[in-house]
Amino acid sequence: MTEAPQTTIVFLLFPGITQLDFTAPAQALCRLPGARLIGAAASLDPIPTDCGFAILPTHDFAAAPQADILCVPGGHGVVEALGDRATIDFIARQAAGATWVTSVCTGAFLLGRAGLLEGRRATTHWAYTHLLPMVGARHEAARVVEDGPVVTSGGVTSGLDFALTLVARMRGDAAAQAIQLAIEYDPAPPFAGGHPDRAPAAVTEGLKARVYDAAAARMAAALKS
């Protein structure tokens, strides 16, 4: 049997990352035959996540190998990362040699700051889609948006959908279906309210008022700087 070619998958890690933006696609993509997963950060120090625990990078930016697939997760730490030149330069440098350039949630804005979304269709977390024109992108209302080699996905859990979509593009539907079955990704949520199009209006407005109005304003200010 022919051995699967090695595929190097580099995930950007930064303080304040939403851990599921990283761990959900990582759990699917690590099952791609030949996959080699890299967690790259500015240093090898533990990376604090939004859940109160930390993730250890495997490489710093200088030592990280060239990605075949570059994945940029999101999180509230994106606001600070937008102003970090080393982070943006790393994204741009890796993207130049990658076959696929991808993001989960607000990671799209880091791709945009690196000049990778100009004129492209893209998506991000629903609370931030109105900001995509600030990085030259056109919002497309979809959970996963493919525009050539650039694949963006919506908020948090959509990272799993993006990963399976990408496996299907690379290795065929059967390979993606096998991974989906292996991880028993068979969602049956208790509520049909995972997007503002379906959630009760009072729930959406309450969440925006408590969290996302201020968070989107901070993101907009960072994008303007």
Side-chain angles (χ1 to χ4, degrees), residues 30-189:
C30 75
R31 294 169 185 258
L32 181 73
R36 176 193 182 199
L37 264 64
I38 303 295
S43 75
L44 295 178
D45 294 337
I47 299 293
T49 73
D50 63 349
C51 291
F53 60 80
I55 294 172
L56 285 177
T58 61
H59 294 71
D60 62 21
F61 290 160
Q66 173 58 52
D68 298 303
I69 301 169
L70 173 65
C71 184
V72 179
H76 290 300
V78 165
V79 169
E80 287 73 30
L82 283 167
D84 184 70
R85 192 70 254 168
T87 296
I88 303 305
D89 287 348
F90 176 76
I91 293 169
R93 185 168 66 252
Q94 284 281 334
T99 302
W100 297 94
V101 176
T102 72
S103 67
V104 180
C105 197
T106 53
F109 295 106
L110 293 172
L111 293 186
R113 177 56 61 88
L116 301 169
L117 293 186
E118 188 65 42
R120 292 189 182 275
R121 294 174 290 108
T123 193
T124 188
H125 187 286
W126 60 264
Y128 301 87
T129 55
H130 63 291
L131 301 179
L132 284 170
M134 296 183 70
V135 291
R138 304 190 308 278
H139 175 232
E140 181 172 304
R143 194 161 165 84
V144 179
V145 174
E146 302 174 67
D147 191 328
V150 178
V151 184
T152 54
S153 56
V156 192
T157 60
S158 63
L160 200 47
D161 294 28
F162 131 71
L164 293 170
T165 298
L166 190 57
V167 171
R169 295 289 174 269
M170 296 174 65
R171 302 288 172 82
D173 290 358
Q177 289 168 346
I179 291 174
Q180 181 175 351
L181 179 59
I183 62 176
E184 201 172 346
Y185 180 44
D186 188 26

Side-chain angles (χ1 to χ4, degrees), residues 157 186-195 198-200:
T157 60
D186 188 26
F191 307 105
H195 189 274
R198 292 172 293 280

